[in-house]
Amino acid sequence: METLSYEPVPLPRLVPPPPRGLKACLCVGSLLVLLALLVALPPLAGALDYTRDIPLLEAMEYSLDADWDEVLTHPWTTGLVLLIPLEITALVAFMLARPTWLTRVAFWVGLLAPFACAGRFALFLPLITIMTLPAWVGRDDGETWSEGFVAMGCAGAWSMLWATAGCYLLVRRARGVKRASSRS
């Protein structure tokens, strides 16, 4: 009697996985934004000199010397502190999950969490992000740092990073659909 061998045939993927380059860009971009947010949080809980421009190294020294217990429990920083684990979880889920509903949820959490954590500044996050770019080259005064605009700019940068990744995936998906339809 002959035995029949059965080999499963893999099903084609309906949604292609994100390319490695996109994942690498998201990781590096998220790491830079996280570091920038860690530099920007202590001035929000404290105060820098309002009368002069603050060089980036001075802001970094201020962050290193800050009392982090006070920074993490300060009422103005709680929303942004909550943003850090949300964004890290979204990034890990997006990186490790296969292209399913979980990657879509991770993408939307990564995109919308900064708006949820920004409170009353949520509508202005993209504008604040662009406005605070001079702070990273030492061209903004202590008021910009101490009133939280730089920290909110970091939150907006995270959202803009996810939006850029989403646009890239949409364009990639649309091109894939055009190529597939032109072959048939």
Side-chain angles (χ1 to χ4, degrees):
M1 183 162 173
E2 258 181 67
T3 58
L4 297 174
S5 65
Y6 172 73
E7 246 179 76
V9 178
L11 296 173
R13 286 189 168 186
L14 298 176
V15 179
R20 288 185 189 150
L22 177 67
K23 289 182 175 184
C25 288
L26 269 175
C27 281
V28 170
S30 290
L31 179 64
L32 290 174
V33 172
L34 175 65
L35 292 174
L37 186 60
L38 291 176
V39 169
L41 277 178
L44 177 58
L48 289 174
D49 187 3
Y50 277 49
T51 61
R52 62 183 178 83
D53 289 346
I54 304 296
L56 180 59
L57 288 176
E58 185 178 333
M60 292 171 84
E61 287 174 8
Y62 186 83
S63 297
L64 289 174
D65 294 339
D67 178 16
W68 278 93
D69 289 335
E70 182 182 331
V71 170
L72 296 176
T73 57
H74 196 279
W76 292 352
T77 62
T78 53
L80 292 170
V81 169
L82 287 174
L83 178 64
I84 295 170
L86 281 173
E87 287 291 337
I88 291 173
T89 304
L91 182 66
V92 169
F94 187 81
M95 295 295 159
L96 299 181
R98 300 181 86 202
T100 60
W101 63 271
L102 183 60
T103 54
R104 289 185 183 101
V105 169
F107 169 77
W108 286 107
V109 167
L111 180 67
L112 298 176
F115 291 98
C117 294
R120 64 179 186 245
F121 295 109
L123 293 175
F124 305 106
L125 273 185
L127 179 64
I128 291 172
T129 302
I130 294 167
M131 279 178 27
T132 57
L133 287 176
W136 299 107
V137 292
R139 298 289 179 205
D140 271 337
D141 59 5
E143 184 175 9
T144 306
W145 288 89
S146 298
E147 293 196 0
F149 290 115
V150 177
M152 290 296 162
C154 294
W158 237 329
S159 188
M160 291 171 84
L161 181 70
W162 281 100
T164 304
C167 289
Y168 174 80
L169 288 174
L170 284 175
V171 167
R172 183 172 176 253
R173 188 175 189 185
R175 284 185 178 174
V177 170
K178 286 180 186 176
R179 287 185 189 145
S181 65
S182 66
R183 289 182 194 155
S184 48

